[in-house]
Amino acid sequence: MATVSSRAARIRSLNATALPKVYNYNRSCIHQHRYHGLHTATAGAVVPVASSLAVAIHTPRPRLSLSYSGSSAATPPSLSHTPTRFFHHRSAMARLNLGNINQHIVEAKYAVRGELAVKSEEYRARLRKGDTSLPFAEVISANIGNPQQLDQKPITYFRQVLSLLENPKLLEHEDVLLNTLGYKKDVLERARWLLDHAGSVGAYSASAGVPAIKESVAKFLEKRDGFPADPAHIYLSAGASSGVNTLLHIICAAPTTGVLVPIPQYPLYTASLSVLNSTCVPYYLDESAHWGTSLTAIKEAHAKAKADGIDTRAIVIINPGNPTGASLSEADIRSVLEFAAEEKLVVMADEVYQTNVFIGKFHSFRQVLLTLQKEQPGKFDKVELASLHSVSKGMVGECGHRGGYFDLLGFKAEVEEQIYKFVSITLCAPVVGQCLVELMVNPPQPGEPSYELYKQEYDAIFNNLKTRAYALYEAFKEMEGVECGEPQGSMYLFPTIRVPAGAAEAAKKEGRTPDEFYCMRLLEATGVCVVPGSGFGQVEGTLHFRTTFLAPGTEWVGSIKKFHKEFMDKYR
């Protein structure tokens, strides 16, 4: 049987001959290698994302990234269960190969589901089959913010409503639901309301989403921000990622189209820009200021891009941050919007972690922009803002249901027509996901039958996340050469690591960066899968990794501490 590793070896061989070599984008850019994800870059350098934001300062051996973004099954179907001889015969006859398919796809990198994630799933499959040869008994997928995979329980109210949407005939047995199965009256009422307005969840909805659900989102935005919202400018999407994809398709018109992206960043943005053959303009967050957004860094990056002939059209802000967890102050948001108004930048505010805030307060870009428009009439009226939210994070954690929305302010009608056309091409977001969005923005209220349990479950999830975050933070404080800021929010910590020279040498021999090497050894020794900082971007000369704090218990944290000591002792 062909395995992932044997398949990888064959593709590595093909890579070595079929794909272009390292190249420079311009004199100010660091050499870029197509086989690796995001590494380091000179501050303000404009990076061509035609080959991802892979600003690498080394030239590793070509190797398969295997960063497919689909199911997290142990191996994708195309890489397993194929007799080797038949595979070779079929491949020789195939019309497509790695050299003639869309190279923008080949060059895109998505580190959170890259090589480490694939290997972790191989380990998980071996454990399920009873393999006892591994030095650990379970795999901890701390590489991705997937709450319910790591034991976060779904909100009872949400799942009860969804069960009735999926099987409306249950509503014919109200007495059983109420008296035997523990459903509350408001659960049944909400399910009927959604069925009345959405119809069958197995049918398509309007392309931009169920109108009644869009109205619920508008009411949520008005309550949150203190300003009315128009459902006509709200688009329901298959998670925030789908919204990002839609917006970038509209914004990116040419290789010289630039988008300012924070570094470190969630690699969705650089991967999407790679696929669209447009340019990422990286601006660096300030680690010494708790990963704050530096207006100076933004201005420098923008000026450098302009000097290099890049048409920078948009700026991405992730608030609270991923992978850093930092929440922007209102003053920081105002300064970004001031700059956007001056330079006519579209603002993409990724706000999916808005309820995951431990320190400070979440301020929405929408609320601050509308306040500025009220305070200074005319100056900010033409700022274009797209705000994104999702059911995947926070205390909802329903990643698999793929629900989200984006709200638009200041976009021309002719542009919105094209946005509507684009979302129409994919017909509509999953209707169950749309219904979950409605439940997220319009949960049980005080005095309603389900409120007490909802509040209890919501608060328990929040407090557990905060407890786990601080437990991991305290562990990092005890580890040699590791520095980590106090947890501020989201679902991640992004510690700095310093490894001995011996580890850096060993990494070089494997064609890896030191943080990749560290994370691979961690996975092999403990079963804990994290993501090297090079997958998100980091200042040259620094090393990091991102880990979620979603996994329950403390044993896995102890295994990280034990591994780290042994690693440092081995390579010092």
Side-chain angles (χ1 to χ4, degrees):
M1 304 290 281
T3 65
V4 172
S5 57
S6 62
R7 166 78 163 148
R10 286 192 293 274
I11 296 181
R12 280 199 295 267
S13 175
L14 176 62
N15 281 349
T17 57
L19 301 180
K21 297 180 180 180
V22 178
Y23 67 97
N24 282 325
Y25 174 65
N26 59 45
R27 293 176 183 175
S28 66
C29 277
I30 295 172
H31 291 288
Q32 177 170 310
H33 198 287
R34 70 184 307 151
Y35 302 104
H36 264 47
L38 179 60
H39 297 297
T40 58
T42 303
V46 180
V47 183
V49 195
S51 294
S52 86
L53 187 56
V55 267
I57 59 172
H58 64 292
T59 307
R61 60 177 173 81
R63 56 189 176 84
L64 178 64
S65 174
L66 283 178
S67 44
Y68 57 95
S69 58
S71 167
S72 60
T75 56
S78 61
L79 302 188
S80 62
H81 311 305
T82 306
T84 304
R85 283 184 298 174
F86 177 70
F87 176 85
H88 282 300
H89 174 67
R90 185 175 66 181
S91 295
M93 298 172 61
R95 179 66 180 86
L96 299 177
N97 59 62
L98 200 60
N100 70 11
I101 62 174
N102 186 335
Q103 291 303 292
H104 305 312
I105 302 292
V106 174
E107 293 163 358
K109 300 294 179 288
Y110 189 66
V112 296
R113 287 182 182 264
E115 181 188 17
L116 283 154
V118 172
K119 189 162 189 175
S120 73
E121 292 301 336
E122 291 178 351
Y123 287 151
R124 182 175 277 116
R126 287 170 58 181
L127 290 170
R128 284 173 179 160
K129 293 177 181 178
D131 189 335
T132 59
S133 65
L134 297 172
F136 46 84
E138 66 175 331
V139 171
I140 301 293
S141 297
N143 60 304
I144 191 165
N146 194 10
Q148 293 186 23
Q149 184 191 47
L150 293 170
D151 207 37
Q152 179 171 312
K153 304 303 180 188
I155 299 287
T156 299
Y157 176 81
F158 294 171
R159 287 301 184 89
Q160 287 181 336
V161 172
L162 293 188
S163 71
L164 301 179
L165 299 180
E166 292 281 11
N167 188 4
K169 292 182 75 66
L170 292 174
L171 288 166
E172 299 173 7
H173 305 282
E174 185 170 325
D175 56 333
V176 176
L177 293 171
L178 296 175
N179 301 323
T180 304
L181 298 179
Y183 284 54
K184 302 294 185 183
K185 194 77 174 176
D186 56 342
V187 171
L188 279 61
E189 291 170 353
R190 182 65 64 86
R192 290 191 176 104
W193 184 88
L194 283 165
L195 288 167
D196 286 344
H197 290 85
S200 170
V201 295
Y204 293 132
S205 74
S207 295
V210 176
I213 297 177
K214 291 169 59 174
E215 290 174 8
S216 291
V217 174
K219 291 175 183 176
F220 161 77
L221 293 173
E222 180 173 4
K223 181 178 179 181
R224 186 194 69 184
D225 299 332
F227 294 92
D230 186 347
H233 303 300
I234 293 169
Y235 297 78
L236 301 180
S237 57
S241 299
S242 174
V244 169
N245 182 59
T246 295
L247 293 165
L248 289 179
H249 267 84
I250 297 299
I251 292 167
C252 297
T256 54
T257 299
V259 177
L260 283 155
V261 176
I263 302 300
Q265 54 90 43
Y266 177 46
L268 164 68
Y269 293 95
T270 47
S272 298
L273 288 169
S274 174
V275 170
L276 292 168
N277 193 27
S278 288
T279 300
C280 175
V281 181
Y283 66 92
Y284 283 80
L285 303 178
D286 187 353
E287 185 170 6
S288 66
H290 307 291
W291 295 109
T293 297
S294 167
L295 184 59
T296 300
I298 293 173
K299 288 182 175 180
E300 289 176 352
H302 182 269
K304 180 67 177 65
K306 190 173 183 178
D308 289 332
I310 299 301
D311 173 23
T312 304
R313 297 183 173 187
I315 181 170
V316 172
I317 303 286
I318 307 175
N319 178 43
N322 176 7
T324 66
S327 294
L328 271 67
S329 68
E330 183 176 355
D332 284 342
I333 295 174
R334 281 175 172 258
S335 66
V336 170
L337 291 171
E338 288 263 7
F339 186 68
E342 292 170 8
E343 299 294 341
K344 297 183 179 179
L345 297 174
V346 177
V347 179
M348 292 178 61
D350 182 335
E351 299 175 334
V352 302
Y353 295 100
Q354 61 188 260
T355 58
N356 293 90
V357 178
F358 304 145
I359 296 176
K361 176 185 176 183
F362 169 73
H363 299 277
S364 77
F365 268 77
R366 181 179 181 276
Q367 188 271 332
V368 176
L369 175 59
L370 292 172
T371 299
L372 286 169
Q373 290 178 350
K374 184 177 179 180
E375 293 173 350
Q376 303 177 52
K379 180 176 180 180
F380 295 91
D381 291 355
K382 294 184 179 180
V383 172
E384 296 151 285
L385 170 66
S387 304
L388 302 109
H389 195 16
S390 168
V391 302
S392 297
K393 311 302 180 184
M395 276 35 78
V396 183
E398 294 279 4
C399 305
H401 276 112
R402 309 311 300 136
Y405 71 82
F406 60 94
D407 170 64
L408 302 179
L409 287 176
F411 283 70
K412 283 189 172 184
E414 63 192 41
V415 174
E416 282 210 50
E417 287 174 6
Q418 302 309 309
I419 292 173
Y420 183 83
K421 180 202 296 182
F422 187 86
V423 299
S424 298
I425 292 171
T426 54
L427 301 175
C428 69
V431 177
V432 169
Q434 294 185 46
C435 292
L436 257 173
V437 169
E438 204 283 330
L439 298 175
M440 175 183 71
V441 300
N442 185 23
Q445 299 301 307
E448 295 179 351
S450 294
Y451 176 75
E452 186 177 342
L453 177 59
Y454 167 79
K455 185 73 163 58
Q456 176 185 329
E457 292 176 337
Y458 188 100
D459 289 349
I461 293 170
F462 180 87
N463 292 329
N464 284 338
L465 288 174
K466 188 173 182 179
T467 298
R468 293 170 187 173
Y470 274 87
L472 193 54
Y473 165 65
E474 291 297 330
F476 287 152
K477 286 167 62 176
E478 298 174 9
M479 291 163 53
E480 178 189 356
V482 176
E483 294 179 11
C484 185
E486 185 176 0
Q488 299 181 68
S490 75
M491 296 178 173
Y492 315 102
L493 294 179
F494 196 63
T496 297
I497 57 173
R498 294 179 178 83
V499 301
E505 275 298 313
K508 187 176 181 180
K509 290 177 182 177
E510 288 191 10
R512 303 183 188 277
T513 60
D515 51 352
E516 288 176 333
F517 180 79
Y518 178 92
C519 294
M520 183 61 75
R521 299 290 88 80
L522 173 66
L523 173 62
E524 293 169 348
T526 67
V528 177
C529 183
V530 298
V531 188
S534 51
F536 302 94
Q538 51 197 353
V539 172
E540 183 176 356
T542 67
L543 302 172
H544 302 78
F545 65 84
R546 188 194 78 168
T547 176
T548 71
F549 41 76
L550 295 168
T554 58
E555 184 176 340
W556 69 283
V557 177
S559 69
I560 293 176
K561 290 174 64 177
K562 180 175 181 291
F563 159 80
H564 183 79
K565 184 179 185 307
E566 293 172 351
F567 180 91
M568 298 297 283
D569 289 343
K570 178 177 180 179
Y571 291 105
R572 70 173 74 254

